Amino acid sequence: MRAEAPPLGLIGAPVLVLVAKPWDFESADGRGRLRGQVSKIHDFRPEGGQELMLIISPAVLGGVELTTLRALGGHAAEENLIQRLERGRTTGVRLYGPGAELPLLVGSIRRLGCLT
């Protein structure tokens, strides 16, 4: 069985992350806000789970300056992360730095410029 092609319409799409944890997070985009752009999509069907790679404005997290983050859905039971973003809906995410096993940020993500 062939896997469906990734939704290329999301590649390059601007996104906004509203950061809930840590509560005192600040970036060049403001307190609790982080803007980025989708650079890669991984859909692990049929096992489930989706992952987005985001390019972000430089942000210091855990004492390290990062320009990329890996976003995974916040809850396994939630609707597909990719489908929600394609529809312009907000969804919970955990954000990881390159090679990190624990999330650096927890919050929600939505695609910018998408009317629903």
Side-chain angles (χ1 to χ4, degrees), residues 15-20 25 27 29-36 54 56 69 71 91 93 95 105-112:
V15 294
L16 174 65
V17 177
L18 298 177
V19 179
F25 174 80
S27 74
D29 300 307
R31 186 177 180 121
R33 299 170 67 87
L34 184 64
R35 289 181 186 263
L54 305 176
I56 59 168
L69 288 172
T91 189
V93 288
L95 296 154
L105 302 171
V106 176
S108 63
I109 190 171
R110 72 177 169 93
R111 183 177 180 178
L112 294 174

mmCIF file with all atom_site columns, all heavy atoms in Angstrom, residues 15-20 25 27 29-36 54 56 69 71 91 93 95 105-112:
data_model
loop_
_atom_site.group_PDB
_atom_site.id
_atom_site.type_symbol
_atom_site.label_atom_id
_atom_site.label_alt_id
_atom_site.label_comp_id
_atom_site.label_asym_id
_atom_site.label_entity_id
_atom_site.label_seq_id
_atom_site.pdbx_PDB_ins_code
_atom_site.Cartn_x
_atom_site.Cartn_y
_atom_site.Cartn_z
_atom_site.occupancy
_atom_site.B_iso_or_equiv
_atom_site.pdbx_formal_charge
_atom_site.auth_seq_id
_atom_site.auth_comp_id
_atom_site.auth_asym_id
_atom_site.auth_atom_id
_atom_site.pdbx_PDB_model_num
ATOM 1   N N   . VAL A 1 15  ? 3.650  30.126 10.614 1.00 0.00 ? 15  VAL A N   1
ATOM 2   C CA  . VAL A 1 15  ? 2.885  29.657 11.767 1.00 0.00 ? 15  VAL A CA  1
ATOM 3   C C   . VAL A 1 15  ? 3.190  30.536 12.976 1.00 0.00 ? 15  VAL A C   1
ATOM 4   O O   . VAL A 1 15  ? 4.233  31.188 13.041 1.00 0.00 ? 15  VAL A O   1
ATOM 5   C CB  . VAL A 1 15  ? 3.198  28.176 12.110 1.00 0.00 ? 15  VAL A CB  1
ATOM 6   C CG1 . VAL A 1 15  ? 2.729  27.239 11.014 1.00 0.00 ? 15  VAL A CG1 1
ATOM 7   C CG2 . VAL A 1 15  ? 4.674  27.971 12.394 1.00 0.00 ? 15  VAL A CG2 1
ATOM 8   N N   . LEU A 1 16  ? 2.254  30.530 13.910 1.00 0.00 ? 16  LEU A N   1
ATOM 9   C CA  . LEU A 1 16  ? 2.424  31.225 15.181 1.00 0.00 ? 16  LEU A CA  1
ATOM 10  C C   . LEU A 1 16  ? 2.274  30.211 16.298 1.00 0.00 ? 16  LEU A C   1
ATOM 11  O O   . LEU A 1 16  ? 1.295  29.460 16.330 1.00 0.00 ? 16  LEU A O   1
ATOM 12  C CB  . LEU A 1 16  ? 1.380  32.333 15.339 1.00 0.00 ? 16  LEU A CB  1
ATOM 13  C CG  . LEU A 1 16  ? 1.366  33.047 16.697 1.00 0.00 ? 16  LEU A CG  1
ATOM 14  C CD1 . LEU A 1 16  ? 2.669  33.816 16.922 1.00 0.00 ? 16  LEU A CD1 1
ATOM 15  C CD2 . LEU A 1 16  ? 0.166  33.972 16.799 1.00 0.00 ? 16  LEU A CD2 1
ATOM 16  N N   . VAL A 1 17  ? 3.249  30.186 17.203 1.00 0.00 ? 17  VAL A N   1
ATOM 17  C CA  . VAL A 1 17  ? 3.180  29.335 18.390 1.00 0.00 ? 17  VAL A CA  1
ATOM 18  C C   . VAL A 1 17  ? 2.894  30.243 19.581 1.00 0.00 ? 17  VAL A C   1
ATOM 19  O O   . VAL A 1 17  ? 3.595  31.241 19.794 1.00 0.00 ? 17  VAL A O   1
ATOM 20  C CB  . VAL A 1 17  ? 4.504  28.573 18.623 1.00 0.00 ? 17  VAL A CB  1
ATOM 21  C CG1 . VAL A 1 17  ? 4.430  27.764 19.911 1.00 0.00 ? 17  VAL A CG1 1
ATOM 22  C CG2 . VAL A 1 17  ? 4.825  27.674 17.445 1.00 0.00 ? 17  VAL A CG2 1
ATOM 23  N N   . LEU A 1 18  ? 1.844  29.921 20.323 1.00 0.00 ? 18  LEU A N   1
ATOM 24  C CA  . LEU A 1 18  ? 1.550  30.592 21.584 1.00 0.00 ? 18  LEU A CA  1
ATOM 25  C C   . LEU A 1 18  ? 2.083  29.681 22.688 1.00 0.00 ? 18  LEU A C   1
ATOM 26  O O   . LEU A 1 18  ? 1.606  28.559 22.852 1.00 0.00 ? 18  LEU A O   1
ATOM 27  C CB  . LEU A 1 18  ? 0.056  30.844 21.734 1.00 0.00 ? 18  LEU A CB  1
ATOM 28  C CG  . LEU A 1 18  ? -0.551 31.756 20.666 1.00 0.00 ? 18  LEU A CG  1
ATOM 29  C CD1 . LEU A 1 18  ? -2.054 31.886 20.864 1.00 0.00 ? 18  LEU A CD1 1
ATOM 30  C CD2 . LEU A 1 18  ? 0.115  33.127 20.684 1.00 0.00 ? 18  LEU A CD2 1
ATOM 31  N N   . VAL A 1 19  ? 3.093  30.140 23.383 1.00 0.00 ? 19  VAL A N   1
ATOM 32  C CA  . VAL A 1 19  ? 3.826  29.320 24.346 1.00 0.00 ? 19  VAL A CA  1
ATOM 33  C C   . VAL A 1 19  ? 3.163  29.391 25.716 1.00 0.00 ? 19  VAL A C   1
ATOM 34  O O   . VAL A 1 19  ? 2.984  30.469 26.275 1.00 0.00 ? 19  VAL A O   1
ATOM 35  C CB  . VAL A 1 19  ? 5.303  29.779 24.434 1.00 0.00 ? 19  VAL A CB  1
ATOM 36  C CG1 . VAL A 1 19  ? 6.059  28.951 25.454 1.00 0.00 ? 19  VAL A CG1 1
ATOM 37  C CG2 . VAL A 1 19  ? 5.962  29.696 23.064 1.00 0.00 ? 19  VAL A CG2 1
ATOM 38  N N   . ALA A 1 20  ? 2.802  28.217 26.262 1.00 0.00 ? 20  ALA A N   1
ATOM 39  C CA  . ALA A 1 20  ? 2.221  28.126 27.601 1.00 0.00 ? 20  ALA A CA  1
ATOM 40  C C   . ALA A 1 20  ? 3.287  27.789 28.645 1.00 0.00 ? 20  ALA A C   1
ATOM 41  O O   . ALA A 1 20  ? 3.228  28.272 29.777 1.00 0.00 ? 20  ALA A O   1
ATOM 42  C CB  . ALA A 1 20  ? 1.120  27.072 27.624 1.00 0.00 ? 20  ALA A CB  1
ATOM 43  N N   . PHE A 1 25  ? 8.381  32.672 28.815 1.00 0.00 ? 25  PHE A N   1
ATOM 44  C CA  . PHE A 1 25  ? 9.088  32.661 27.535 1.00 0.00 ? 25  PHE A CA  1
ATOM 45  C C   . PHE A 1 25  ? 8.889  33.978 26.797 1.00 0.00 ? 25  PHE A C   1
ATOM 46  O O   . PHE A 1 25  ? 7.790  34.508 26.722 1.00 0.00 ? 25  PHE A O   1
ATOM 47  C CB  . PHE A 1 25  ? 8.588  31.509 26.659 1.00 0.00 ? 25  PHE A CB  1
ATOM 48  C CG  . PHE A 1 25  ? 9.162  31.532 25.276 1.00 0.00 ? 25  PHE A CG  1
ATOM 49  C CD1 . PHE A 1 25  ? 10.433 31.041 25.032 1.00 0.00 ? 25  PHE A CD1 1
ATOM 50  C CD2 . PHE A 1 25  ? 8.450  32.078 24.218 1.00 0.00 ? 25  PHE A CD2 1
ATOM 51  C CE1 . PHE A 1 25  ? 10.980 31.079 23.762 1.00 0.00 ? 25  PHE A CE1 1
ATOM 52  C CE2 . PHE A 1 25  ? 8.982  32.112 22.937 1.00 0.00 ? 25  PHE A CE2 1
ATOM 53  C CZ  . PHE A 1 25  ? 10.251 31.616 22.718 1.00 0.00 ? 25  PHE A CZ  1
ATOM 54  N N   . SER A 1 27  ? 10.389 36.058 23.093 1.00 0.00 ? 27  SER A N   1
ATOM 55  C CA  . SER A 1 27  ? 11.184 36.019 21.862 1.00 0.00 ? 27  SER A CA  1
ATOM 56  C C   . SER A 1 27  ? 11.095 37.392 21.212 1.00 0.00 ? 27  SER A C   1
ATOM 57  O O   . SER A 1 27  ? 10.428 38.292 21.734 1.00 0.00 ? 27  SER A O   1
ATOM 58  C CB  . SER A 1 27  ? 10.649 34.941 20.913 1.00 0.00 ? 27  SER A CB  1
ATOM 59  O OG  . SER A 1 27  ? 9.441  35.370 20.310 1.00 0.00 ? 27  SER A OG  1
ATOM 60  N N   . ASP A 1 29  ? 9.312  38.031 18.930 1.00 0.00 ? 29  ASP A N   1
ATOM 61  C CA  . ASP A 1 29  ? 7.896  38.180 18.561 1.00 0.00 ? 29  ASP A CA  1
ATOM 62  C C   . ASP A 1 29  ? 7.028  38.577 19.739 1.00 0.00 ? 29  ASP A C   1
ATOM 63  O O   . ASP A 1 29  ? 5.830  38.790 19.574 1.00 0.00 ? 29  ASP A O   1
ATOM 64  C CB  . ASP A 1 29  ? 7.381  36.878 17.953 1.00 0.00 ? 29  ASP A CB  1
ATOM 65  C CG  . ASP A 1 29  ? 8.166  36.506 16.710 1.00 0.00 ? 29  ASP A CG  1
ATOM 66  O OD1 . ASP A 1 29  ? 8.273  37.356 15.806 1.00 0.00 ? 29  ASP A OD1 1
ATOM 67  O OD2 . ASP A 1 29  ? 8.679  35.377 16.653 1.00 0.00 ? 29  ASP A OD2 1
ATOM 68  N N   . GLY A 1 30  ? 7.603  38.653 20.945 1.00 0.00 ? 30  GLY A N   1
ATOM 69  C CA  . GLY A 1 30  ? 6.854  39.068 22.124 1.00 0.00 ? 30  GLY A CA  1
ATOM 70  C C   . GLY A 1 30  ? 6.790  37.984 23.183 1.00 0.00 ? 30  GLY A C   1
ATOM 71  O O   . GLY A 1 30  ? 7.268  36.863 23.007 1.00 0.00 ? 30  GLY A O   1
ATOM 72  N N   . ARG A 1 31  ? 6.164  38.325 24.294 1.00 0.00 ? 31  ARG A N   1
ATOM 73  C CA  . ARG A 1 31  ? 6.034  37.395 25.405 1.00 0.00 ? 31  ARG A CA  1
ATOM 74  C C   . ARG A 1 31  ? 5.050  36.281 25.046 1.00 0.00 ? 31  ARG A C   1
ATOM 75  O O   . ARG A 1 31  ? 3.919  36.547 24.638 1.00 0.00 ? 31  ARG A O   1
ATOM 76  C CB  . ARG A 1 31  ? 5.545  38.126 26.651 1.00 0.00 ? 31  ARG A CB  1
ATOM 77  C CG  . ARG A 1 31  ? 5.539  37.237 27.864 1.00 0.00 ? 31  ARG A CG  1
ATOM 78  C CD  . ARG A 1 31  ? 5.109  38.012 29.092 1.00 0.00 ? 31  ARG A CD  1
ATOM 79  N NE  . ARG A 1 31  ? 5.132  37.114 30.211 1.00 0.00 ? 31  ARG A NE  1
ATOM 80  C CZ  . ARG A 1 31  ? 5.864  37.308 31.292 1.00 0.00 ? 31  ARG A CZ  1
ATOM 81  N NH1 . ARG A 1 31  ? 6.615  38.373 31.394 1.00 0.00 ? 31  ARG A NH1 1
ATOM 82  N NH2 . ARG A 1 31  ? 5.809  36.436 32.270 1.00 0.00 ? 31  ARG A NH2 1
ATOM 83  N N   . GLY A 1 32  ? 5.514  35.044 25.183 1.00 0.00 ? 32  GLY A N   1
ATOM 84  C CA  . GLY A 1 32  ? 4.662  33.894 24.919 1.00 0.00 ? 32  GLY A CA  1
ATOM 85  C C   . GLY A 1 32  ? 4.353  33.661 23.458 1.00 0.00 ? 32  GLY A C   1
ATOM 86  O O   . GLY A 1 32  ? 3.443  32.905 23.123 1.00 0.00 ? 32  GLY A O   1
ATOM 87  N N   . ARG A 1 33  ? 5.103  34.303 22.554 1.00 0.00 ? 33  ARG A N   1
ATOM 88  C CA  . ARG A 1 33  ? 4.835  34.182 21.117 1.00 0.00 ? 33  ARG A CA  1
ATOM 89  C C   . ARG A 1 33  ? 6.121  33.817 20.380 1.00 0.00 ? 33  ARG A C   1
ATOM 90  O O   . ARG A 1 33  ? 7.192  34.279 20.717 1.00 0.00 ? 33  ARG A O   1
ATOM 91  C CB  . ARG A 1 33  ? 4.313  35.505 20.552 1.00 0.00 ? 33  ARG A CB  1
ATOM 92  C CG  . ARG A 1 33  ? 3.014  35.948 21.184 1.00 0.00 ? 33  ARG A CG  1
ATOM 93  C CD  . ARG A 1 33  ? 2.659  37.367 20.792 1.00 0.00 ? 33  ARG A CD  1
ATOM 94  N NE  . ARG A 1 33  ? 2.350  37.506 19.386 1.00 0.00 ? 33  ARG A NE  1
ATOM 95  C CZ  . ARG A 1 33  ? 1.155  37.325 18.852 1.00 0.00 ? 33  ARG A CZ  1
ATOM 96  N NH1 . ARG A 1 33  ? 0.154  36.984 19.621 1.00 0.00 ? 33  ARG A NH1 1
ATOM 97  N NH2 . ARG A 1 33  ? 0.949  37.487 17.563 1.00 0.00 ? 33  ARG A NH2 1
ATOM 98  N N   . LEU A 1 34  ? 5.945  33.001 19.340 1.00 0.00 ? 34  LEU A N   1
ATOM 99  C CA  . LEU A 1 34  ? 7.066  32.603 18.508 1.00 0.00 ? 34  LEU A CA  1
ATOM 100 C C   . LEU A 1 34  ? 6.545  32.351 17.101 1.00 0.00 ? 34  LEU A C   1
ATOM 101 O O   . LEU A 1 34  ? 5.635  31.552 16.907 1.00 0.00 ? 34  LEU A O   1
ATOM 102 C CB  . LEU A 1 34  ? 7.708  31.319 19.064 1.00 0.00 ? 34  LEU A CB  1
ATOM 103 C CG  . LEU A 1 34  ? 8.952  30.804 18.368 1.00 0.00 ? 34  LEU A CG  1
ATOM 104 C CD1 . LEU A 1 34  ? 10.102 31.802 18.484 1.00 0.00 ? 34  LEU A CD1 1
ATOM 105 C CD2 . LEU A 1 34  ? 9.372  29.475 18.981 1.00 0.00 ? 34  LEU A CD2 1
ATOM 106 N N   . ARG A 1 35  ? 7.089  33.065 16.133 1.00 0.00 ? 35  ARG A N   1
ATOM 107 C CA  . ARG A 1 35  ? 6.698  32.869 14.737 1.00 0.00 ? 35  ARG A CA  1
ATOM 108 C C   . ARG A 1 35  ? 7.716  31.973 14.055 1.00 0.00 ? 35  ARG A C   1
ATOM 109 O O   . ARG A 1 35  ? 8.891  31.990 14.387 1.00 0.00 ? 35  ARG A O   1
ATOM 110 C CB  . ARG A 1 35  ? 6.619  34.203 13.997 1.00 0.00 ? 35  ARG A CB  1
ATOM 111 C CG  . ARG A 1 35  ? 5.454  35.041 14.434 1.00 0.00 ? 35  ARG A CG  1
ATOM 112 C CD  . ARG A 1 35  ? 5.418  36.346 13.647 1.00 0.00 ? 35  ARG A CD  1
ATOM 113 N NE  . ARG A 1 35  ? 4.390  37.200 14.167 1.00 0.00 ? 35  ARG A NE  1
ATOM 114 C CZ  . ARG A 1 35  ? 3.173  37.304 13.652 1.00 0.00 ? 35  ARG A CZ  1
ATOM 115 N NH1 . ARG A 1 35  ? 2.840  36.591 12.604 1.00 0.00 ? 35  ARG A NH1 1
ATOM 116 N NH2 . ARG A 1 35  ? 2.289  38.105 14.182 1.00 0.00 ? 35  ARG A NH2 1
ATOM 117 N N   . GLY A 1 36  ? 7.217  31.208 13.101 1.00 0.00 ? 36  GLY A N   1
ATOM 118 C CA  . GLY A 1 36  ? 8.103  30.327 12.357 1.00 0.00 ? 36  GLY A CA  1
ATOM 119 C C   . GLY A 1 36  ? 7.527  30.006 11.002 1.00 0.00 ? 36  GLY A C   1
ATOM 120 O O   . GLY A 1 36  ? 6.503  30.560 10.587 1.00 0.00 ? 36  GLY A O   1
ATOM 121 N N   . LEU A 1 54  ? 10.224 23.294 12.032 1.00 0.00 ? 54  LEU A N   1
ATOM 122 C CA  . LEU A 1 54  ? 9.975  24.718 11.914 1.00 0.00 ? 54  LEU A CA  1
ATOM 123 C C   . LEU A 1 54  ? 11.286 25.491 11.879 1.00 0.00 ? 54  LEU A C   1
ATOM 124 O O   . LEU A 1 54  ? 12.205 25.187 12.647 1.00 0.00 ? 54  LEU A O   1
ATOM 125 C CB  . LEU A 1 54  ? 9.158  25.222 13.104 1.00 0.00 ? 54  LEU A CB  1
ATOM 126 C CG  . LEU A 1 54  ? 7.832  24.538 13.394 1.00 0.00 ? 54  LEU A CG  1
ATOM 127 C CD1 . LEU A 1 54  ? 7.224  25.117 14.664 1.00 0.00 ? 54  LEU A CD1 1
ATOM 128 C CD2 . LEU A 1 54  ? 6.882  24.687 12.224 1.00 0.00 ? 54  LEU A CD2 1
ATOM 129 N N   . ILE A 1 56  ? 12.652 29.067 12.824 1.00 0.00 ? 56  ILE A N   1
ATOM 130 C CA  . ILE A 1 56  ? 12.196 30.168 13.676 1.00 0.00 ? 56  ILE A CA  1
ATOM 131 C C   . ILE A 1 56  ? 13.239 31.285 13.676 1.00 0.00 ? 56  ILE A C   1
ATOM 132 O O   . ILE A 1 56  ? 14.395 31.078 13.313 1.00 0.00 ? 56  ILE A O   1
ATOM 133 C CB  . ILE A 1 56  ? 11.957 29.689 15.126 1.00 0.00 ? 56  ILE A CB  1
ATOM 134 C CG1 . ILE A 1 56  ? 13.241 29.116 15.721 1.00 0.00 ? 56  ILE A CG1 1
ATOM 135 C CG2 . ILE A 1 56  ? 10.827 28.672 15.176 1.00 0.00 ? 56  ILE A CG2 1
ATOM 136 C CD1 . ILE A 1 56  ? 13.192 28.882 17.213 1.00 0.00 ? 56  ILE A CD1 1
ATOM 137 N N   . LEU A 1 69  ? 13.068 24.104 15.260 1.00 0.00 ? 69  LEU A N   1
ATOM 138 C CA  . LEU A 1 69  ? 12.388 23.323 16.293 1.00 0.00 ? 69  LEU A CA  1
ATOM 139 C C   . LEU A 1 69  ? 11.599 22.213 15.624 1.00 0.00 ? 69  LEU A C   1
ATOM 140 O O   . LEU A 1 69  ? 11.180 22.337 14.473 1.00 0.00 ? 69  LEU A O   1
ATOM 141 C CB  . LEU A 1 69  ? 11.422 24.189 17.102 1.00 0.00 ? 69  LEU A CB  1
ATOM 142 C CG  . LEU A 1 69  ? 12.041 25.191 18.059 1.00 0.00 ? 69  LEU A CG  1
ATOM 143 C CD1 . LEU A 1 69  ? 10.959 26.101 18.628 1.00 0.00 ? 69  LEU A CD1 1
ATOM 144 C CD2 . LEU A 1 69  ? 12.795 24.492 19.178 1.00 0.00 ? 69  LEU A CD2 1
ATOM 145 N N   . ALA A 1 71  ? 8.126  20.098 15.996 1.00 0.00 ? 71  ALA A N   1
ATOM 146 C CA  . ALA A 1 71  ? 6.810  20.198 16.641 1.00 0.00 ? 71  ALA A CA  1
ATOM 147 C C   . ALA A 1 71  ? 6.060  18.882 16.515 1.00 0.00 ? 71  ALA A C   1
ATOM 148 O O   . ALA A 1 71  ? 5.928  18.339 15.422 1.00 0.00 ? 71  ALA A O   1
ATOM 149 C CB  . ALA A 1 71  ? 5.996  21.319 15.994 1.00 0.00 ? 71  ALA A CB  1
ATOM 150 N N   . THR A 1 91  ? -3.904 23.907 17.329 1.00 0.00 ? 91  THR A N   1
ATOM 151 C CA  . THR A 1 91  ? -3.738 22.614 17.971 1.00 0.00 ? 91  THR A CA  1
ATOM 152 C C   . THR A 1 91  ? -2.574 22.656 18.955 1.00 0.00 ? 91  THR A C   1
ATOM 153 O O   . THR A 1 91  ? -1.632 23.437 18.783 1.00 0.00 ? 91  THR A O   1
ATOM 154 C CB  . THR A 1 91  ? -3.537 21.491 16.921 1.00 0.00 ? 91  THR A CB  1
ATOM 155 O OG1 . THR A 1 91  ? -3.595 20.231 17.564 1.00 0.00 ? 91  THR A OG1 1
ATOM 156 C CG2 . THR A 1 91  ? -2.236 21.640 16.179 1.00 0.00 ? 91  THR A CG2 1
ATOM 157 N N   . VAL A 1 93  ? 0.824  21.599 20.850 1.00 0.00 ? 93  VAL A N   1
ATOM 158 C CA  . VAL A 1 93  ? 2.093  21.028 20.395 1.00 0.00 ? 93  VAL A CA  1
ATOM 159 C C   . VAL A 1 93  ? 3.115  21.013 21.520 1.00 0.00 ? 93  VAL A C   1
ATOM 160 O O   . VAL A 1 93  ? 3.033  21.785 22.471 1.00 0.00 ? 93  VAL A O   1
ATOM 161 C CB  . VAL A 1 93  ? 2.712  21.803 19.204 1.00 0.00 ? 93  VAL A CB  1
ATOM 162 C CG1 . VAL A 1 93  ? 1.946  21.581 17.927 1.00 0.00 ? 93  VAL A CG1 1
ATOM 163 C CG2 . VAL A 1 93  ? 2.873  23.269 19.504 1.00 0.00 ? 93  VAL A CG2 1
ATOM 164 N N   . LEU A 1 95  ? 7.313  21.279 21.567 1.00 0.00 ? 95  LEU A N   1
ATOM 165 C CA  . LEU A 1 95  ? 8.399  21.713 20.680 1.00 0.00 ? 95  LEU A CA  1
ATOM 166 C C   . LEU A 1 95  ? 9.744  21.284 21.246 1.00 0.00 ? 95  LEU A C   1
ATOM 167 O O   . LEU A 1 95  ? 10.046 21.535 22.416 1.00 0.00 ? 95  LEU A O   1
ATOM 168 C CB  . LEU A 1 95  ? 8.350  23.226 20.503 1.00 0.00 ? 95  LEU A CB  1
ATOM 169 C CG  . LEU A 1 95  ? 7.078  23.700 19.803 1.00 0.00 ? 95  LEU A CG  1
ATOM 170 C CD1 . LEU A 1 95  ? 6.738  25.118 20.182 1.00 0.00 ? 95  LEU A CD1 1
ATOM 171 C CD2 . LEU A 1 95  ? 7.230  23.566 18.311 1.00 0.00 ? 95  LEU A CD2 1
ATOM 172 N N   . LEU A 1 105 ? 9.432  23.628 24.807 1.00 0.00 ? 105 LEU A N   1
ATOM 173 C CA  . LEU A 1 105 ? 8.255  24.489 24.893 1.00 0.00 ? 105 LEU A CA  1
ATOM 174 C C   . LEU A 1 105 ? 6.997  23.649 24.752 1.00 0.00 ? 105 LEU A C   1
ATOM 175 O O   . LEU A 1 105 ? 6.993  22.635 24.065 1.00 0.00 ? 105 LEU A O   1
ATOM 176 C CB  . LEU A 1 105 ? 8.258  25.531 23.768 1.00 0.00 ? 105 LEU A CB  1
ATOM 177 C CG  . LEU A 1 105 ? 9.443  26.481 23.664 1.00 0.00 ? 105 LEU A CG  1
ATOM 178 C CD1 . LEU A 1 105 ? 9.364  27.265 22.372 1.00 0.00 ? 105 LEU A CD1 1
ATOM 179 C CD2 . LEU A 1 105 ? 9.480  27.414 24.858 1.00 0.00 ? 105 LEU A CD2 1
ATOM 180 N N   . VAL A 1 106 ? 5.929  24.116 25.379 1.00 0.00 ? 106 VAL A N   1
ATOM 181 C CA  . VAL A 1 106 ? 4.601  23.506 25.222 1.00 0.00 ? 106 VAL A CA  1
ATOM 182 C C   . VAL A 1 106 ? 3.644  24.651 24.945 1.00 0.00 ? 106 VAL A C   1
ATOM 183 O O   . VAL A 1 106 ? 3.719  25.701 25.582 1.00 0.00 ? 106 VAL A O   1
ATOM 184 C CB  . VAL A 1 106 ? 4.173  22.743 26.502 1.00 0.00 ? 106 VAL A CB  1
ATOM 185 C CG1 . VAL A 1 106 ? 2.759  22.202 26.349 1.00 0.00 ? 106 VAL A CG1 1
ATOM 186 C CG2 . VAL A 1 106 ? 5.156  21.626 26.825 1.00 0.00 ? 106 VAL A CG2 1
ATOM 187 N N   . GLY A 1 107 ? 2.772  24.452 23.975 1.00 0.00 ? 107 GLY A N   1
ATOM 188 C CA  . GLY A 1 107 ? 1.828  25.507 23.649 1.00 0.00 ? 107 GLY A CA  1
ATOM 189 C C   . GLY A 1 107 ? 0.870  25.082 22.567 1.00 0.00 ? 107 GLY A C   1
ATOM 190 O O   . GLY A 1 107 ? 0.522  23.905 22.446 1.00 0.00 ? 107 GLY A O   1
ATOM 191 N N   . SER A 1 108 ? 0.468  26.042 21.758 1.00 0.00 ? 108 SER A N   1
ATOM 192 C CA  . SER A 1 108 ? -0.435 25.752 20.635 1.00 0.00 ? 108 SER A CA  1
ATOM 193 C C   . SER A 1 108 ? 0.136  26.409 19.385 1.00 0.00 ? 108 SER A C   1
ATOM 194 O O   . SER A 1 108 ? 0.887  27.375 19.454 1.00 0.00 ? 108 SER A O   1
ATOM 195 C CB  . SER A 1 108 ? -1.837 26.274 20.925 1.00 0.00 ? 108 SER A CB  1
ATOM 196 O OG  . SER A 1 108 ? -1.820 27.680 21.055 1.00 0.00 ? 108 SER A OG  1
ATOM 197 N N   . ILE A 1 109 ? -0.240 25.831 18.236 1.00 0.00 ? 109 ILE A N   1
ATOM 198 C CA  . ILE A 1 109 ? 0.259  26.331 16.957 1.00 0.00 ? 109 ILE A CA  1
ATOM 199 C C   . ILE A 1 109 ? -0.906 26.530 16.014 1.00 0.00 ? 109 ILE A C   1
ATOM 200 O O   . ILE A 1 109 ? -1.885 25.807 16.065 1.00 0.00 ? 109 ILE A O   1
ATOM 201 C CB  . ILE A 1 109 ? 1.299  25.346 16.359 1.00 0.00 ? 109 ILE A CB  1
ATOM 202 C CG1 . ILE A 1 109 ? 2.012  25.948 15.156 1.00 0.00 ? 109 ILE A CG1 1
ATOM 203 C CG2 . ILE A 1 109 ? 0.655  24.018 16.008 1.00 0.00 ? 109 ILE A CG2 1
ATOM 204 C CD1 . ILE A 1 109 ? 3.188  25.102 14.663 1.00 0.00 ? 109 ILE A CD1 1
ATOM 205 N N   . ARG A 1 110 ? -0.791 27.564 15.185 1.00 0.00 ? 110 ARG A N   1
ATOM 206 C CA  . ARG A 1 110 ? -1.775 27.755 14.122 1.00 0.00 ? 110 ARG A CA  1
ATOM 207 C C   . ARG A 1 110 ? -1.079 28.342 12.910 1.00 0.00 ? 110 ARG A C   1
ATOM 208 O O   . ARG A 1 110 ? -0.074 29.034 13.019 1.00 0.00 ? 110 ARG A O   1
ATOM 209 C CB  . ARG A 1 110 ? -2.935 28.627 14.557 1.00 0.00 ? 110 ARG A CB  1
ATOM 210 C CG  . ARG A 1 110 ? -2.623 30.081 14.718 1.00 0.00 ? 110 ARG A CG  1
ATOM 211 C CD  . ARG A 1 110 ? -3.887 30.852 15.095 1.00 0.00 ? 110 ARG A CD  1
ATOM 212 N NE  . ARG A 1 110 ? -3.579 32.185 15.510 1.00 0.00 ? 110 ARG A NE  1
ATOM 213 C CZ  . ARG A 1 110 ? -3.567 33.230 14.704 1.00 0.00 ? 110 ARG A CZ  1
ATOM 214 N NH1 . ARG A 1 110 ? -3.849 33.102 13.437 1.00 0.00 ? 110 ARG A NH1 1
ATOM 215 N NH2 . ARG A 1 110 ? -3.262 34.432 15.160 1.00 0.00 ? 110 ARG A NH2 1
ATOM 216 N N   . ARG A 1 111 ? -1.641 28.045 11.771 1.00 0.00 ? 111 ARG A N   1
ATOM 217 C CA  . ARG A 1 111 ? -1.134 28.560 10.498 1.00 0.00 ? 111 ARG A CA  1
ATOM 218 C C   . ARG A 1 111 ? -1.600 29.991 10.341 1.00 0.00 ? 111 ARG A C   1
ATOM 219 O O   . ARG A 1 111 ? -2.772 30.301 10.571 1.00 0.00 ? 111 ARG A O   1
ATOM 220 C CB  . ARG A 1 111 ? -1.655 27.689 9.370  1.00 0.00 ? 111 ARG A CB  1
ATOM 221 C CG  . ARG A 1 111 ? -1.153 28.066 8.021  1.00 0.00 ? 111 ARG A CG  1
ATOM 222 C CD  . ARG A 1 111 ? -1.687 27.099 7.004  1.00 0.00 ? 111 ARG A CD  1
ATOM 223 N NE  . ARG A 1 111 ? -1.213 27.448 5.684  1.00 0.00 ? 111 ARG A NE  1
ATOM 224 C CZ  . ARG A 1 111 ? -1.489 26.771 4.607  1.00 0.00 ? 111 ARG A CZ  1
ATOM 225 N NH1 . ARG A 1 111 ? -2.261 25.698 4.687  1.00 0.00 ? 111 ARG A NH1 1
ATOM 226 N NH2 . ARG A 1 111 ? -1.026 27.141 3.443  1.00 0.00 ? 111 ARG A NH2 1
ATOM 227 N N   . LEU A 1 112 ? -0.706 30.868 9.951  1.00 0.00 ? 112 LEU A N   1
ATOM 228 C CA  . LEU A 1 112 ? -1.072 32.264 9.741  1.00 0.00 ? 112 LEU A CA  1
ATOM 229 C C   . LEU A 1 112 ? -1.546 32.470 8.316  1.00 0.00 ? 112 LEU A C   1
ATOM 230 O O   . LEU A 1 112 ? -1.113 31.789 7.391  1.00 0.00 ? 112 LEU A O   1
ATOM 231 C CB  . LEU A 1 112 ? 0.135  33.176 10.018 1.00 0.00 ? 112 LEU A CB  1
ATOM 232 C CG  . LEU A 1 112 ? 0.606  33.192 11.468 1.00 0.00 ? 112 LEU A CG  1
ATOM 233 C CD1 . LEU A 1 112 ? 1.878  34.003 11.579 1.00 0.00 ? 112 LEU A CD1 1
ATOM 234 C CD2 . LEU A 1 112 ? -0.470 33.730 12.397 1.00 0.00 ? 112 LEU A CD2 1
#
